[in-house]
Amino acid sequence: MPESAEGAPLVLDVEEPLAAPAAGDAAAPRRDPQSKAHHIDACLTSAVEYRKSAGFERCDFVNQALPEVSLEGLDLSQPLIGKTLGAPLMIAPMTGGIERAHVLNLRLAAAAQRHGLAMGVGSQRVGLESEERAAFFRVRSVAPSILLFANFGVGQLAKGWGVDEARRAVDMIEADALYLHMNPIQEAAQGGDVDFRGLAARIKVLCTALNKERIPVFAREVGFGVSAEAARLLIDAGISGIDCAGAGGTSWSKVEGICAKSERRRKMGMAFGEWGIPTATAIRAVRSVSTKIPLIATGGLRSGLDLAKAIGLGADVGAMARPFLVAADAGEEALEAFIQDTLLELRIAMFGIGAADLDALRGTPHLREIDHETPRTRPLG
Ligand SMILES: Cc1cc2nc3c(=O)[nH]c(=O)nc-3n(C[C@H](O)[C@H](O)[C@H](O)COP(=O)(O)O)c2cc1C
């Protein structure tokens, strides 16, 4: 994520430019790419997690003692914008632009290729500003056919980025689609880009141009959730899909608080550490506006069972960030075991309710809301 304002002095809303602005980006100071390393270090600790839950423990599958399907025969394939995923799982956008991030991304991308998963890279802003950094976002050498998303923030649109930068971000990594990430609370907590006026109109201009070039544009929160109102604005703007990334997993306000250099910013990050729409609620909110818009659900998915519930609630694909980061950091074997276990859990959940494929899971009558409060299951390491 992008762009932390660490190094900011005690005065709120004032950032230290770290290098000269790029051409065409006169208003925007460059950010320190090493902030990506701080984000990785912070996200390898459980201190960044929400206390509140993503809401999946309040959904319960109703066991079917005679499911009439075979575990081995279940179909996990999922079409998404012209490609077919081997399973409805995505490696959520995290990082890039520095060597350490590249090593992790290559490991993740190779695993995505083995299992037919989708993947996004982290904000490419530093890559668009420097060719040297751009190289550290590329993963096609190990993942020639995965569904791959480029990524930058809507804050850049407000500062004048547009079709040209979007094309360059997509071309930089030979992506299939572009993610535009929306992170008002993170930006405000860190003292970053906070003028979000007129963004729906700018998104519309971008979508109109890129749709003509057959580049799908998805909008995503970074983990504070997409409301029904925001989903309506995005759909009216011509977005091709939404990632409703909600609260309950990694809190990006806490990440910024932990990475802040000033005590004031640290407190600000922590004050908003529990802000956000839980992911299960965000899935329902987007689906209340459109039953058709391709929907990815990120935020607090911590198991194949959570993934099954996200899909049962209406998502097309579920995505995880921190669990993949932790597994990839532990090494290739740990990553492979994590993916295999996650997909097996998804299979067992489908088996247990007799869902032969993902359409059956998505339309299942066997997912019920339970009204009792249960403690959060399985906090991540
Ligand atoms: C180390 C790290 C870096 C991230 N950087 C980005 C980013 O650059 N752009 C973005 O859209 N989301 C970014 N995210 C947010 C994730 O994609 C995701 O929405 C969020 O972490 C919630 O998912 P989780 O609970 O599975 O971690 C990042 C997440 C992590 C863990």
Side-chain angles (χ1 to χ4, degrees):
M1 190 137 338
E3 300 97 42
S4 141
E6 319 141 59
L10 278 173
V11 185
L12 291 180
D13 301 323
V14 176
E15 283 185 314
E16 198 120 46
L18 293 163
D25 191 14
R30 285 191 192 180
R31 308 290 180 88
D32 178 2
Q34 289 310 324
S35 67
K36 305 229 178 217
H38 299 147
H39 284 149
I40 292 172
D41 286 333
C43 288
L44 286 171
T45 74
S46 57
V48 297
E49 295 249 321
Y50 279 91
R51 279 196 310 274
K52 85 174 159 202
S53 99
F56 297 118
E57 81 289 350
R58 285 192 279 279
C59 306
D60 220 5
F61 284 116
V62 181
N63 183 58
Q64 298 303 304
L66 280 178
E68 293 288 338
V69 290
S70 138
L71 182 76
E72 302 300 331
L74 303 177
D75 180 4
L76 296 192
S77 66
Q78 173 65 44
L80 189 67
I81 48 167
K83 282 195 172 168
T84 300
L85 307 182
L89 179 59
M90 174 164 186
I91 298 167
M94 283 186 271
T95 196
I98 56 173
E99 197 172 350
R100 178 176 172 205
H102 197 213
V103 170
L104 288 166
N105 270 351
L106 286 171
R107 190 172 292 164
L108 288 163
Q113 180 73 29
R114 285 196 298 279
H115 292 275
L117 311 184
M119 177 172 168
V121 297
S123 175
Q124 289 166 262
R125 179 173 171 181
V126 293
L128 286 164
E129 291 170 345
S130 142
E131 179 47 37
E132 194 193 335
R133 300 284 168 200
F136 292 136
F137 282 95
R138 298 188 178 114
V139 295
R140 277 293 186 211
S141 59
V142 298
S145 61
I146 63 168
L147 180 62
L148 183 63
F149 283 72
N151 184 346
F152 67 79
V154 290
Q156 296 311 112
L157 286 185
K159 290 182 161 179
W161 281 23
V163 181
D164 182 43
E165 287 78 9
R167 257 192 228 116
R168 283 173 51 216
V170 168
D171 290 347
M172 182 194 304
I173 61 163
E174 301 170 65
D176 302 287
L178 173 71
Y179 254 149
L180 278 180
H181 69 255
M182 308 171 289
N183 57 347
I185 288 296
Q186 182 198 1
E187 292 286 350
Q190 70 167 350
D193 301 329
V194 285
D195 187 354
F196 275 59
R197 286 173 300 175
L199 272 178
R202 286 179 186 274
I203 292 172
K204 189 170 194 164
V205 170
L206 185 70
C207 289
T208 307
L210 292 191
N211 285 346
K212 283 190 194 134
E213 300 179 26
R214 297 191 191 286
I215 301 174
V217 181
F218 278 49
R220 77 182 312 267
E221 239 296 346
V222 299
F224 300 97
V226 172
S227 64
E229 293 78 2
R232 205 165 288 122
L233 281 172
L234 291 168
I235 290 168
D236 289 348
I239 220 85
S240 299
I242 293 176
D243 180 341
C244 63
T250 307
S251 162
W252 273 89
S253 196
K254 290 189 189 180
V255 175
E256 293 301 349
I258 288 166
C259 292
K261 279 200 177 149
S262 77
E263 181 58 14
R264 235 174 141 186
R265 282 289 169 207
R266 194 195 66 74
K267 279 193 184 147
M268 197 61 67
M270 292 308 167
F272 287 87
E274 292 297 317
W275 179 283
I277 306 167
T279 303
T281 308
I283 296 171
R284 287 196 191 90
V286 176
R287 279 293 173 240
S288 73
V289 175
S290 168
T291 54
K292 297 221 158 50
I293 189 87
L295 176 58
I296 299 171
T298 313
L301 277 69
R302 294 294 179 261
S303 67
L305 189 50
D306 288 345
L307 174 60
K309 290 176 180 177
I311 293 168
L313 288 171
D316 294 297
V317 168
M320 301 184 194
R322 205 170 94 75
F324 275 119
L325 180 73
V326 170
D329 187 64
E332 249 164 56
E333 263 178 49
L335 178 60
E336 181 57 27
F338 172 72
I339 295 173
Q340 286 189 17
D341 287 351
T342 301
L343 297 183
L344 180 57
E345 281 178 17
L346 169 64
R347 262 180 200 284
I348 293 175
M350 290 170 67
F351 180 61
I353 57 161
D357 57 27
L358 297 170
D359 282 341
L361 172 59
R362 215 166 280 117
T364 183
H366 304 312
L367 185 60
R368 299 277 159 81
E369 189 128 2
I370 47 179
D371 48 18
H372 58 85
E373 289 283 321
T374 49
R376 219 176 137 187
T377 48
R378 218 199 266 191
L380 189 75

